[in-house]
Amino acid sequence: MRAPSVTVIIPTCNRAHFIGETLDSVLGQTVPPAQVIVVNDGSTDTTPEVLARYGRRIEVIDQTNSGRPRAVNRAIPEVRGDYLWIFDDDDLAVPQSVERHLAVLEAEPSVDFTYAGCIILQTHPDGRTEEKGPLPMPEVSADEAFSRLLEQNFMQLQAMLVRTRCYREIGLFNDRLNLCDDYDMILRLGRRFTGRRLDAPTFLFRQHAGLRGRPGALFPAEHRSRYWVLENRDIHLRLRAQLGLGEYLPRSLGAGELDGKSRRRALLQRACVMARLALWPEALADFEEGLVNTLPGEPLTALERDLCRRALGKFIRFDLAIEGLVDEPAPGRRFGDILARSDNGDARRLFAGELSRYGWARLRQREVKRGMRALALAQRVGGTGGLFPT
């Protein structure tokens, strides 16, 4: 029987100081890839000379600088492998990466892709590197992977091995995105296919200074999180119009007509996705439909309480959700009104507690105005007890 074959695509631009180490880690796998395609996206440094050293071990595609999505899209038609691994030009693969992914995929034909965690590798301006530990990843079942991916991206393409047919079926990367083209693709994969998580990290995720983005829209690395927020908002507003409400539930619960309990949970899940990005008009519409018009007054389940907590939680490192309520009077007033009309003591106490915790934290950091606004909203949401953490 023919052994499975793996193709690796690595888009690169002006990373001559990293690309050699990256290629060594990919070519040095315990189960070597059958095909490695490097797309030189208009590099103006010594990248061509570095790539030339690898001779026929890699295939090089040269193109005018067009950005990462177009670079990957240029290579996908050339893929010959059964599995596709898309890797970044500054990261490092652990030696057993391909072997670990293939062990699962070959043993379980029903699994369409595998994913794993990563270890942060900090590279300092003087060239020193240090491992900073694993990037946190939530424990989620395959059944709820897509609904949790909608809240936050906990997968990286560098840690995913995907059956090539999946990419053929869902199409190319969105080249209009500047930073989140990978997240957009991961959501498309997660929506349609079944993934399985591996236990151990399979690559080192290099953090370093330098410009990011596509031609004409470059930005420094320290601004990456802000751009991530903006593009995430665009992605989720588009998905809100495309997804059925049931798709915000775990797969086993989202098929067919939703009963009252499933409908409320789906609405709260969608509200959580929207609120975390401070898309409050959309989030408030879902909170109203879920808490006022669907099962009013019925206590929240443990899963729904977790959803509501995550709705006001941090997105990356930003308190977007709470600050969207306390910095703009209109959303805060409507939020308080919805919770008052919901007759749901669980929701009122939970949201009041989250707002009050945030408010006291801001006061301790001498952000007096924002802290007092949060405490005032907590009081409105939960009553006089809302000023105190629960």
Side-chain angles (χ1 to χ4, degrees), residues 13-35:
C13 180
N14 291 339
R15 291 276 173 78
H17 50 305
F18 290 139
I19 186 63
E21 194 176 3
T22 295
L23 280 169
D24 290 343
S25 73
V26 167
L27 293 167
Q29 292 290 298
T30 54
V31 176
Q35 181 186 26

Side-chain angles (χ1 to χ4, degrees), residues 110-372:
S110 62
V111 175
D112 300 301
F113 66 87
T114 46
Y115 67 97
C118 64
I119 296 171
I120 299 296
L121 180 69
Q122 183 68 51
T123 297
H124 298 280
D126 62 4
R128 291 182 301 109
T129 61
E130 58 177 323
E131 292 188 12
K132 307 292 283 188
L135 186 70
M137 179 186 290
E139 292 282 351
V140 299
S141 66
D143 192 41
E144 66 171 338
F146 178 63
S147 59
R148 291 300 296 273
L149 272 172
L150 289 165
E151 291 182 36
Q152 68 179 92
N153 184 21
F154 53 86
M155 300 182 190
Q156 295 86 30
L157 290 175
Q158 308 95 299
M160 297 174 66
L161 191 61
V162 183
R163 297 185 192 274
T164 301
R165 63 168 173 78
C166 298
Y167 283 110
R168 304 279 192 223
E169 289 180 32
I170 61 177
L172 300 176
F173 283 74
N174 184 345
D175 61 16
R176 295 187 301 275
L177 294 170
N178 188 29
L179 182 64
C180 296
D181 53 286
D182 52 351
Y183 180 39
D184 177 77
M185 178 58 77
I186 289 166
L187 285 170
R188 288 156 62 189
L189 290 167
R191 181 185 183 188
R192 187 159 175 176
F193 301 110
T194 299
R196 178 67 56 82
R197 177 179 172 175
L198 306 186
D199 292 333
T202 58
F203 83 103
L204 277 67
F205 192 8
R206 193 191 299 270
Q207 304 292 294
H208 60 91
L211 294 176
R212 304 292 195 275
R214 65 185 178 193
L218 296 174
F219 56 88
E222 58 268 25
H223 295 172
R224 179 174 182 165
S225 295
R226 290 293 184 186
Y227 280 91
W228 185 268
V229 170
L230 295 175
E231 288 202 351
N232 265 248
R233 287 173 174 161
D234 290 341
I235 287 170
H236 283 292
L237 287 173
R238 172 170 47 81
L239 284 175
R240 183 183 175 88
Q242 295 176 354
L243 298 177
L245 182 60
E247 292 186 84
Y248 285 86
L249 291 170
R251 283 182 178 173
S252 60
L253 301 178
E257 186 174 351
L258 303 181
D259 61 19
K261 291 183 178 180
S262 295
R263 178 174 173 78
R264 185 174 76 170
R265 178 175 169 183
L267 286 162
L268 292 177
Q269 176 69 73
R270 192 168 68 180
C272 172
V273 172
M274 300 296 147
R276 286 167 57 82
L277 288 163
L279 294 170
W280 276 108
E282 293 76 16
L284 290 170
D286 285 336
F287 278 128
E288 183 168 24
E289 185 64 25
L291 296 174
V292 178
N293 300 330
T294 307
L295 305 180
E298 182 167 325
L300 301 177
T301 66
L303 286 170
E304 289 173 331
R305 289 196 295 272
D306 283 342
L307 276 175
C308 290
R309 288 191 184 92
R310 296 201 300 269
L312 295 192
K314 288 182 180 292
F315 180 83
I316 310 179
R317 55 179 170 272
F318 304 124
D319 289 295
L320 299 177
I322 290 180
E323 289 171 6
L325 288 175
V326 302
D327 291 350
E328 298 292 335
R333 282 196 300 268
R334 187 179 170 199
F335 188 54
D337 175 66
I338 288 169
L339 290 171
R341 290 188 291 116
S342 74
D343 194 29
N344 193 306
D346 278 354
R348 298 191 73 176
R349 284 189 295 272
L350 188 150
F351 285 124
E354 295 302 307
L355 286 162
S356 62
R357 267 190 286 272
Y358 172 86
W360 288 115
R362 297 286 77 74
L363 289 178
R364 287 192 292 270
Q365 295 176 13
R366 292 185 168 81
E367 294 183 39
V368 177
K369 289 184 179 180
R370 184 174 271 172
M372 292 304 296

